[in-house]
Amino acid sequence: MTIPRDARVDLPPEHIPKRWYNLVADIPGLKPPLNPATMKPLCPEDMEPIFCKDIIRQEMSAERYIDIPEEVRDNYIYLNRPAPLQRAYRLERYLKTPAKIYFKREDMSPLGSHKGNTALAQAYYNAECGVKNLTTETGAGQWGTALAMVCNLFDIDCTVFMVRGSYDQKPLRKTIIHTYGSTVHASPSPMTAYGRKVLKEHPGTSGSLGIAISEACEMAAGDPECCYSLGSVLNHVMLHQTVIGQETMEQMEAAEIDPDYMVACVGGGSNFAGFTFPMIGERIRGKTDCEFVAVEPEAAPSLTGGEFRYDFGDAGGMTPLLMMYTLGSDFIPSGIHAGGLRYHGMSPLVSAAYDQKFVSARSYDQTETFEAGVLMARTEGIIPAPESCHALKGAIDLALEAKRANEEKTIVFCLSGHGLLDLYGYDQYLTGTLPSSAREC
Ligand SMILES: *Cc1c(COP(=O)(O)O)cnc(C)c1O
């Protein structure tokens, strides 16, 4: 059998993008982050206790393109960039849809997800600024493992605050972080004043990303050689992830793929932003009619169920106020397996794009997303991360809508990671013991 030329579109290493794309340059009406003490727009000095100068400059930049340092580009090769764009022929055939379904393979990184794209850049800039220790939070563990891995490349020590619920449920993630040589604490922890306060008030708590962020920020603020690193939400993280979308655009052009929909899951918004922002830029400039669909869990529906207002990024109120879709910074979602989607807020850039109707959103219960994941495994041979199952489910539904309308739509989704470390969730689905999103796992 001959393999059609759009079955898998690869790019050679020289085609790793040379610059990141910054949506800030193209999207109108952004509201600045505020200093909660003064309620005035944040100035660079406000961020100096926790971020290094290079990161602050990128966070506040309005330049359309920012050059990717040679050393970061070189190291992207070790994360298996450029990532393939693949066509899901067997899934299409199973669905009996006239739609074409493609997916961008962020699961092929040795880290198993897209998180390394920004971890690498952040570790590089912190090393350039002389930082010796990075702290961070992690929910399901993908971000903590990504940062732990790249810190080794730049001789930085890494301390991870891992949400207690995941720490207990996903011990192997902890093993990965230890294997890379980093330190990991269950959060809330006795290591910080905020952690001790939460432990005293709620001794049995399973924690939240918001609490873990507060702890990591507190530790970084107390040590001049230590900075904090965030895996999603902020502008510089969205920026670094745009290698995904720029590669995808080049691959679509090479294989003459003209997308009607680009679909990705949203937790804090980084894989969605990285995948879609370069195309949203084209849409703003009137060069494409592509529609952009963000998919979130019913258990943490910040776009479809939240409010667009200023809110804190963490539970302790230590971060700046961000203008974003939020469920409230004290929101604790039920313990769904898609741990990377259990966040109360949404990237201010993704929020603005949604508010201005460049992006639409839908939400699903976790059972229907695992059903989609099992279908992907049985047709395409890939077991997607529970987070990525949300994007997949969105893509499948669009393909079924195209079938009903008998339209040859082209759907491209972002497979943000693989699920080989999330098999407990698949096991619960397969044995009929998976709780619905509304209840604890
Ligand atoms: C962390 C994670 C997500 C959610 O984070 P975003 O910043 O919204 O992309 C999605 N998929 C995978 C595989 C993840 O690891």
Side-chain angles (χ1 to χ4, degrees), residues 167-403:
Y167 187 92
D168 293 337
Q169 252 184 30
K170 304 190 170 179
L172 294 180
R173 299 269 188 192
K174 200 168 41 187
T175 309
I176 300 176
I177 297 174
H178 284 149
T179 304
Y180 285 132
S182 295
T183 307
V184 50
H185 303 294
S187 167
S189 80
M191 306 298 294
T192 65
Y194 186 70
R196 289 190 290 273
K197 176 170 173 278
V198 178
L199 281 175
K200 200 161 160 214
E201 289 166 10
H202 311 277
T205 182
S206 58
S208 74
L209 268 177
I211 295 168
I213 294 174
S214 297
E215 288 204 272
C217 286
E218 183 187 321
M219 185 172 268
D223 177 351
E225 290 202 327
C226 177
C227 274
Y228 166 67
S229 174
L230 185 63
S232 189
V233 184
L234 294 179
N235 291 4
H236 67 275
V237 182
M238 306 298 124
L239 177 81
H240 299 153
Q241 290 293 357
T242 59
V243 289
I244 305 174
Q246 293 183 78
E247 286 175 12
T248 305
M249 281 171 68
E250 190 179 335
Q251 288 160 318
M252 292 194 298
E253 201 176 311
E256 294 172 16
I257 298 162
D258 184 14
D260 293 294
Y261 300 102
M262 288 178 81
V263 186
C265 65
V266 283
S270 73
N271 87 90
F272 178 84
F275 181 60
T276 62
F277 280 4
M279 271 297 265
I280 292 181
E282 294 289 282
R283 165 95 179 258
I284 292 172
R285 288 187 287 277
K287 290 191 182 152
T288 174
D289 295 326
C290 182
E291 291 179 35
F292 307 95
V293 184
V295 188
E296 55 188 14
E298 276 173 6
S302 36
L303 292 177
T304 55
E307 292 172 46
F308 193 38
R309 63 173 169 89
Y310 275 107
D311 195 9
F312 290 105
D314 67 330
M318 285 175 217
T319 68
L321 287 164
L322 303 172
M323 185 66 188
M324 62 180 177
Y325 279 86
T326 176
L327 297 159
S329 55
D330 55 354
F331 178 80
I332 299 192
S334 62
I336 54 166
H337 289 284
L341 307 185
R342 293 176 74 226
Y343 183 61
H344 68 273
M346 182 56 61
S347 141
L349 278 169
V350 173
S351 294
Y354 178 69
D355 185 55
Q356 297 179 30
K357 312 262 186 303
F358 292 115
V359 170
S360 66
R362 42 178 85 189
S363 67
Y364 293 109
D365 178 87
Q366 70 171 348
T367 305
E368 46 190 347
T369 65
F370 275 108
E371 184 183 2
V374 168
L375 183 56
M376 180 91 177
R378 291 180 187 177
T379 52
E380 299 297 325
I382 297 168
I383 299 180
E387 293 85 358
S388 317
C389 286
H390 289 71
L392 167 68
K393 171 67 180 160
I396 289 175
D397 275 7
L398 287 166
L400 293 175
E401 285 163 27
K403 177 178 172 180

